[in-house]
Amino acid sequence: MADEVIDASASLATARPQSQKRTAAIVPERSVAGRTLVLLIAIMTFLSGVTLGGVVLVQKSAIAWSSDVGREVTIQIRPVEGEVMDSNIRTAIAVAEAIPGVASAHALSLADSEKLLEPWLGAGLDLSQLEIPRLIVVELGDPKAVDLNLLSRDLQAIKGASLETHAAWRQQLNTMAGTLVLSGVLVLALIVLATILAVVFATRGTMATNREIVDVLHFIGASNHFIAGEFQGRFLSLGFRGGVIGGLGAILFFLAVASATGSIVPDQAAAQLGFLFGRFSLGIDGIAGIAAVVPVIAALTAITSRLTVRRFLSQTS
């Protein structure tokens, strides 16, 4: 500690008072506190990057869900006594294809309809005795140009026919995605708050440890502005270093998860994860978002340390 005081005072004394050139290492670069703060910031940046990446994946998946669901509607043909099912199906397909904006319409086979019931009724059941409604999938070329009300009115001429637009499913998907995104933003805010508190405590601890150096600097005429700038520069360096480590760790995490879902996770589980999160592909915007966290964390660390130092010095002066 004595050597640090001598080095700091000698360096500052040889500097020109007008510029207060920063040649003194007021805050030691290689110290236990510095390494601990770098590790802490790296962890916080990693958590921030993973949270932000998860929000991006959920948002992308929600947009894809809504787009896919919005481009299809379903016509259900229920069995009606005295009506020929195949004839009603052909009529419904013709009615749907006659609507402007409809790209195509095709009926699901009876076997496909039975497979849709397996998650609720179980596999291996004989459903031949049940009157299973038939489904017609209508693909929309331009969802905005299709008059679904007109299609619904035209289908009323077919007994047992009804139109399902999936609007309720789209609303539920959008609500769920919005809830997850909001939760992610709140978690990100808590991580940022925890980072600020950690930097505050680290700065105050560093100030207390280097109190002799600060007293010497005050004695030889250094201003609070100069001292705070020194701490800001050192903590900016520590924050940037930890941010880079944490940011690279978050990007590697998503790359590892994407690789694991394709090779380690069973096919069914991978399909479910792919449905929820795509293929864990962040894309350029996701990687750019995680990269943007690094300078934000570094700047936040520097600004927090400067304000903490200024307040500490004003209370002790």
Tab-separated table of all heavy atoms in Angstrom, residues 143-168:
chain	number	residue	atom	x	y	z
A	143	PRO	N	-54.183	-13.265	-46.542
A	143	PRO	CA	-55.190	-13.268	-45.473
A	143	PRO	C	-56.000	-11.982	-45.386
A	143	PRO	O	-57.183	-12.013	-45.026
A	143	PRO	CB	-54.349	-13.478	-44.204
A	143	PRO	CG	-53.108	-14.146	-44.679
A	143	PRO	CD	-52.837	-13.581	-46.039
A	144	LYS	N	-55.396	-10.845	-45.729
A	144	LYS	CA	-56.113	-9.577	-45.625
A	144	LYS	C	-57.158	-9.420	-46.722
A	144	LYS	O	-58.114	-8.649	-46.560
A	144	LYS	CB	-55.122	-8.414	-45.681
A	144	LYS	CG	-54.152	-8.386	-44.500
A	144	LYS	CD	-53.217	-7.198	-44.601
A	144	LYS	CE	-52.261	-7.157	-43.424
A	144	LYS	NZ	-51.318	-6.011	-43.512
A	145	ALA	N	-56.978	-10.119	-47.856
A	145	ALA	CA	-57.894	-9.957	-48.984
A	145	ALA	C	-59.059	-10.940	-48.943
A	145	ALA	O	-60.001	-10.817	-49.735
A	145	ALA	CB	-57.143	-10.114	-50.303
A	146	VAL	N	-59.021	-11.910	-48.061
A	146	VAL	CA	-60.065	-12.946	-48.002
A	146	VAL	C	-61.216	-12.459	-47.125
A	146	VAL	O	-60.997	-12.024	-45.991
A	146	VAL	CB	-59.499	-14.269	-47.462
A	146	VAL	CG1	-60.599	-15.318	-47.373
A	146	VAL	CG2	-58.379	-14.768	-48.362
A	147	ASP	N	-62.422	-12.581	-47.657
A	147	ASP	CA	-63.619	-12.227	-46.902
A	147	ASP	C	-64.126	-13.485	-46.201
A	147	ASP	O	-64.873	-14.282	-46.775
A	147	ASP	CB	-64.692	-11.656	-47.841
A	147	ASP	CG	-65.877	-11.068	-47.071
A	147	ASP	OD1	-65.942	-11.266	-45.837
A	147	ASP	OD2	-66.718	-10.405	-47.705
A	148	LEU	N	-63.698	-13.662	-44.952
A	148	LEU	CA	-64.086	-14.864	-44.215
A	148	LEU	C	-65.563	-14.855	-43.859
A	148	LEU	O	-66.179	-15.930	-43.738
A	148	LEU	CB	-63.231	-14.985	-42.948
A	148	LEU	CG	-61.728	-15.191	-43.174
A	148	LEU	CD1	-60.995	-15.259	-41.838
A	148	LEU	CD2	-61.467	-16.465	-43.984
A	149	ASN	N	-66.145	-13.687	-43.698
A	149	ASN	CA	-67.580	-13.620	-43.431
A	149	ASN	C	-68.377	-14.142	-44.623
A	149	ASN	O	-69.382	-14.840	-44.455
A	149	ASN	CB	-67.990	-12.180	-43.117
A	149	ASN	CG	-67.402	-11.688	-41.805
A	149	ASN	OD1	-67.222	-12.464	-40.870
A	149	ASN	ND2	-67.084	-10.401	-41.737
A	150	LEU	N	-67.930	-13.805	-45.824
A	150	LEU	CA	-68.588	-14.319	-47.028
A	150	LEU	C	-68.453	-15.830	-47.110
A	150	LEU	O	-69.428	-16.535	-47.435
A	150	LEU	CB	-67.982	-13.663	-48.267
A	150	LEU	CG	-68.499	-14.167	-49.628
A	150	LEU	CD1	-69.997	-13.924	-49.749
A	150	LEU	CD2	-67.738	-13.503	-50.765
A	151	LEU	N	-67.275	-16.344	-46.800
A	151	LEU	CA	-67.068	-17.793	-46.817
A	151	LEU	C	-67.953	-18.483	-45.792
A	151	LEU	O	-68.558	-19.525	-46.070
A	151	LEU	CB	-65.597	-18.108	-46.539
A	151	LEU	CG	-65.219	-19.588	-46.440
A	151	LEU	CD1	-65.591	-20.335	-47.718
A	151	LEU	CD2	-63.730	-19.741	-46.136
A	152	SER	N	-68.061	-17.896	-44.610
A	152	SER	CA	-68.910	-18.482	-43.575
A	152	SER	C	-70.377	-18.497	-44.003
A	152	SER	O	-71.098	-19.493	-43.772
A	152	SER	CB	-68.737	-17.706	-42.268
A	152	SER	OG	-69.541	-18.242	-41.247
A	153	ARG	N	-70.836	-17.430	-44.648
A	153	ARG	CA	-72.236	-17.388	-45.113
A	153	ARG	C	-72.480	-18.411	-46.219
A	153	ARG	O	-73.518	-19.086	-46.240
A	153	ARG	CB	-72.579	-15.987	-45.609
A	153	ARG	CG	-72.689	-14.957	-44.504
A	153	ARG	CD	-73.388	-13.687	-45.002
A	153	ARG	NE	-72.643	-13.087	-46.102
A	153	ARG	CZ	-71.716	-12.155	-45.945
A	153	ARG	NH1	-71.407	-11.716	-44.726
A	153	ARG	NH2	-71.090	-11.639	-46.998
A	154	ASP	N	-71.536	-18.568	-47.129
A	154	ASP	CA	-71.708	-19.532	-48.215
A	154	ASP	C	-71.725	-20.969	-47.694
A	154	ASP	O	-72.409	-21.832	-48.258
A	154	ASP	CB	-70.583	-19.369	-49.243
A	154	ASP	CG	-70.686	-18.063	-50.012
A	154	ASP	OD1	-71.766	-17.426	-49.950
A	154	ASP	OD2	-69.694	-17.674	-50.656
A	155	LEU	N	-70.984	-21.216	-46.620
A	155	LEU	CA	-70.947	-22.577	-46.069
A	155	LEU	C	-72.239	-22.947	-45.345
A	155	LEU	O	-72.480	-24.137	-45.080
A	155	LEU	CB	-69.767	-22.718	-45.105
A	155	LEU	CG	-68.367	-22.711	-45.733
A	155	LEU	CD1	-67.299	-22.720	-44.648
A	155	LEU	CD2	-68.193	-23.912	-46.665
A	156	GLN	N	-73.053	-21.966	-45.012
A	156	GLN	CA	-74.313	-22.272	-44.349
A	156	GLN	C	-75.256	-23.092	-45.228
A	156	GLN	O	-76.172	-23.744	-44.723
A	156	GLN	CB	-74.996	-20.971	-43.921
A	156	GLN	CG	-74.254	-20.222	-42.822
A	156	GLN	CD	-74.922	-18.912	-42.452
A	156	GLN	OE1	-75.953	-18.542	-43.024
A	156	GLN	NE2	-74.339	-18.175	-41.499
A	157	ALA	N	-75.032	-23.068	-46.539
A	157	ALA	CA	-75.863	-23.861	-47.449
A	157	ALA	C	-75.540	-25.344	-47.357
A	157	ALA	O	-76.307	-26.177	-47.862
A	157	ALA	CB	-75.678	-23.375	-48.884
A	158	ILE	N	-74.419	-25.683	-46.733
A	158	ILE	CA	-74.013	-27.089	-46.583
A	158	ILE	C	-74.333	-27.528	-45.164
A	158	ILE	O	-73.827	-26.949	-44.195
A	158	ILE	CB	-72.503	-27.245	-46.864
A	158	ILE	CG1	-72.151	-26.688	-48.245
A	158	ILE	CG2	-72.087	-28.707	-46.760
A	158	ILE	CD1	-70.669	-26.667	-48.536
A	159	LYS	N	-75.142	-28.534	-45.030
A	159	LYS	CA	-75.535	-29.012	-43.703
A	159	LYS	C	-74.333	-29.623	-42.971
A	159	LYS	O	-73.614	-30.443	-43.534
A	159	LYS	CB	-76.652	-30.041	-43.824
A	159	LYS	CG	-77.972	-29.460	-44.333
A	159	LYS	CD	-79.057	-30.523	-44.343
A	159	LYS	CE	-80.398	-29.933	-44.817
A	159	LYS	NZ	-81.479	-30.935	-44.844
A	160	GLY	N	-74.152	-29.193	-41.745
A	160	GLY	CA	-73.062	-29.726	-40.926
A	160	GLY	C	-71.735	-29.026	-41.127
A	160	GLY	O	-70.745	-29.398	-40.494
A	161	ALA	N	-71.689	-28.012	-41.985
A	161	ALA	CA	-70.429	-27.312	-42.258
A	161	ALA	C	-70.299	-26.083	-41.369
A	161	ALA	O	-71.271	-25.361	-41.136
A	161	ALA	CB	-70.355	-26.911	-43.729
A	162	SER	N	-69.091	-25.836	-40.885
A	162	SER	CA	-68.806	-24.650	-40.076
A	162	SER	C	-67.370	-24.223	-40.332
A	162	SER	O	-66.516	-25.042	-40.706
A	162	SER	CB	-69.026	-24.925	-38.580
A	162	SER	OG	-68.174	-25.970	-38.132
A	163	LEU	N	-67.108	-22.947	-40.113
A	163	LEU	CA	-65.789	-22.381	-40.385
A	163	LEU	C	-65.079	-22.058	-39.076
A	163	LEU	O	-65.655	-21.449	-38.176
A	163	LEU	CB	-65.927	-21.109	-41.233
A	163	LEU	CG	-64.630	-20.382	-41.596
A	163	LEU	CD1	-63.774	-21.245	-42.516
A	163	LEU	CD2	-64.935	-19.034	-42.253
A	164	GLU	N	-63.825	-22.456	-38.983
A	164	GLU	CA	-62.985	-22.159	-37.818
A	164	GLU	C	-61.815	-21.299	-38.290
A	164	GLU	O	-60.979	-21.744	-39.089
A	164	GLU	CB	-62.472	-23.456	-37.181
A	164	GLU	CG	-61.476	-23.262	-36.063
A	164	GLU	CD	-62.025	-22.397	-34.940
A	164	GLU	OE1	-63.119	-22.706	-34.447
A	164	GLU	OE2	-61.348	-21.405	-34.580
A	165	THR	N	-61.737	-20.058	-37.783
A	165	THR	CA	-60.696	-19.127	-38.228
A	165	THR	C	-59.454	-19.153	-37.333
A	165	THR	O	-58.475	-18.471	-37.636
A	165	THR	CB	-61.248	-17.696	-38.254
A	165	THR	OG1	-61.646	-17.324	-36.929
A	165	THR	CG2	-62.440	-17.599	-39.199
A	166	HIS	N	-59.467	-19.877	-36.238
A	166	HIS	CA	-58.339	-19.974	-35.304
A	166	HIS	C	-58.017	-18.644	-34.633
A	166	HIS	O	-56.899	-18.451	-34.141
A	166	HIS	CB	-57.087	-20.502	-36.010
A	166	HIS	CG	-57.316	-21.714	-36.850
A	166	HIS	ND1	-57.867	-22.875	-36.348
A	166	HIS	CD2	-57.087	-21.938	-38.176
A	166	HIS	CE1	-57.952	-23.778	-37.316
A	166	HIS	NE2	-57.493	-23.226	-38.437
A	167	ALA	N	-58.962	-17.718	-34.640
A	167	ALA	CA	-58.703	-16.411	-34.023
A	167	ALA	C	-58.426	-16.551	-32.529
A	167	ALA	O	-57.562	-15.843	-31.978
A	167	ALA	CB	-59.890	-15.485	-34.255
A	168	ALA	N	-59.139	-17.462	-31.867
A	168	ALA	CA	-58.921	-17.643	-30.423
A	168	ALA	C	-57.519	-18.177	-30.150
A	168	ALA	O	-56.852	-17.746	-29.196
A	168	ALA	CB	-59.974	-18.601	-29.865
